[in-house]
Amino acid sequence: MNMAFATSLYTATGKRSIFKIIKPFTCSAATRRIFTVRRNFSCSATVATNITARVSEFDIENQKNDLLSLVQDTQRGLVTTPDQRSCIEEALVSLEGCTMGESVDLVRLDGTWRLQYTSAPDVLVLFESAARFPFFQVVGQIFQKFECRDQSDGGVIRNVVQWSIPTLLEEQEGATLLVSAKFNVVSARNIYLQFEEISIQNIRISEELQALVAPALLPRSFLSLQILQFIRTFKAQIPVRNPGDPGRRSVGGLYYLSYLDRNMLLGRAVGGGGVFVFTRAQPLDL
């Protein structure tokens, strides 16, 4: 899973349909002109003084709001038209240009980021599977958690997917799929990911399943309570190995951090792996 996978999300209702009819979307000439004007105005260079023009915070916030508005009705990238994807890409490029050349700030990168949009096939396949198979639902949030505050050249990244199985697990946070990787800074904006482990944890079974395992109206036996405790604390861990040579280091990939500020992160999986739009989230305990 090359999720940096190497996408404010909508809080899932758990009952909604993944696919929905969306209104025809076109990226009008006026809309393109807005992005063009903002890009040329905000991110231009003063040739005479050879000093890069600093973009006003107000203008950057406007560009970020434009981008979030464009991805708002795409269900994290699952339902998009070609015109929408074109306008989103244009807005991404415009915002990315505002911090071009700046190095990655690991202190600012540290923390939890919530996925708003992606075009990465290996992430979209999760959404598509949830739409096709009723027994698997990606109903919660998708996060990327960086742990690098006290590091100078790298750290740990954890990709977090909250999912559920209807009637068996809780609707919003039934279980957590965790993909962990180490990363090293290899250039000003590129980090190299080396995936290490895939795990399933934080299983929260539904009230229906709890009642089946240990009926509330009957005396709960020691065995039934032990079963419930085992399910709640269960954690499956699968190490990631190189399929060609298990003795070599695990698979990895380059991830380009194209924009970063206090509340937004944009990334691109190098090699055509897709784009990612994240916003800052509350700290996530794993």
Side-chain angles (χ1 to χ4, degrees):
M1 175 179 288
N2 197 14
M3 227 178 239
F5 269 130
T7 191
S8 152
L9 271 186
Y10 313 113
T11 303
T13 63
K15 300 288 186 180
R16 64 182 176 84
S17 172
I18 285 291
F19 291 108
K20 66 177 184 178
I21 298 175
I22 62 174
K23 297 179 180 179
F25 181 92
T26 58
C27 189
S28 63
T31 303
R32 294 183 185 280
R33 189 159 54 251
I34 289 174
F35 290 134
T36 302
V37 170
R38 282 184 177 164
R39 181 169 65 250
N40 291 340
F41 172 76
S42 304
C43 306
S44 62
T46 306
V47 178
T49 60
N50 197 28
I51 299 176
T52 302
R54 287 294 178 183
V55 187
S56 71
E57 184 175 347
F58 177 78
D59 190 69
I60 290 180
E61 290 301 317
N62 280 338
Q63 293 193 50
K64 288 158 60 176
N65 289 333
D66 288 341
L67 176 57
L68 292 177
S69 295
L70 288 170
V71 305
Q72 184 174 9
D73 293 322
T74 67
Q75 297 182 27
R76 292 176 283 195
L78 176 61
V79 182
T80 58
T81 66
D83 281 338
Q84 278 179 303
R85 291 192 291 272
S86 177
C87 282
I88 290 170
E89 176 63 23
E90 192 166 354
L92 281 166
V93 172
S94 177
L95 188 55
E96 289 169 340
C98 297
T99 56
M100 187 175 297
E102 295 183 8
S103 298
V104 175
D105 184 342
L106 293 183
V107 174
R108 177 172 284 181
L109 180 64
D110 183 85
T112 304
W113 301 86
R114 180 184 289 109
L115 182 69
Q116 303 291 350
Y117 171 86
T118 186
S119 62
D122 54 353
V123 183
L124 293 178
V125 70
L126 294 176
F127 305 149
E128 293 169 353
S129 298
R132 295 176 182 176
F133 306 111
F135 56 82
F136 174 74
Q137 296 291 320
V138 183
V139 295
Q141 309 284 12
I142 294 180
F143 299 98
Q144 211 165 68
K145 183 179 181 181
F146 286 87
E147 300 172 6
C148 52
R149 179 174 295 275
D150 299 322
Q151 305 297 318
S152 60
D153 59 355
V156 174
I157 179 174
R158 306 186 193 278
N159 300 293
V160 184
V161 180
Q162 295 176 338
W163 57 282
S164 181
I165 299 176
T167 71
L168 296 182
L169 303 178
E170 289 186 4
E171 290 186 355
Q172 299 302 317
E173 298 179 355
T176 300
L177 173 67
L178 192 66
V179 181
S180 302
K182 289 183 178 180
F183 75 89
N184 295 310
V185 178
V186 295
S187 67
R189 286 300 182 96
N190 282 303
I191 61 176
Y192 182 80
L193 306 174
Q194 184 176 333
F195 295 98
E196 295 193 318
E197 183 181 84
I198 300 173
S199 65
I200 298 176
Q201 59 188 54
N202 299 334
I203 297 177
R204 298 178 175 89
I205 63 176
S206 65
E207 293 182 358
E208 293 86 348
L209 183 57
Q210 290 187 53
L212 180 63
V213 174
L217 298 180
L218 298 175
R220 293 190 172 187
S221 68
F222 176 77
L223 177 59
S224 64
L225 293 177
Q226 287 293 100
I227 293 174
L228 288 176
Q229 182 64 21
F230 172 79
I231 294 174
R232 290 167 181 161
T233 59
F234 176 79
K235 181 178 181 180
Q237 297 173 291
I238 304 173
V240 178
R241 295 285 184 261
N242 189 311
D245 184 356
R248 300 178 61 185
R249 68 179 185 178
S250 63
V251 295
L254 280 175
Y255 189 36
Y256 178 62
L257 304 177
S258 57
Y259 178 86
L260 172 65
D261 67 11
R262 66 182 183 280
N263 56 23
M264 179 170 279
L265 169 65
L266 306 181
R268 294 179 180 269
V270 177
V275 301
F276 301 87
V277 177
F278 292 94
T279 54
R280 178 79 70 177
Q282 293 297 315
L284 190 64
D285 294 327
L286 299 173

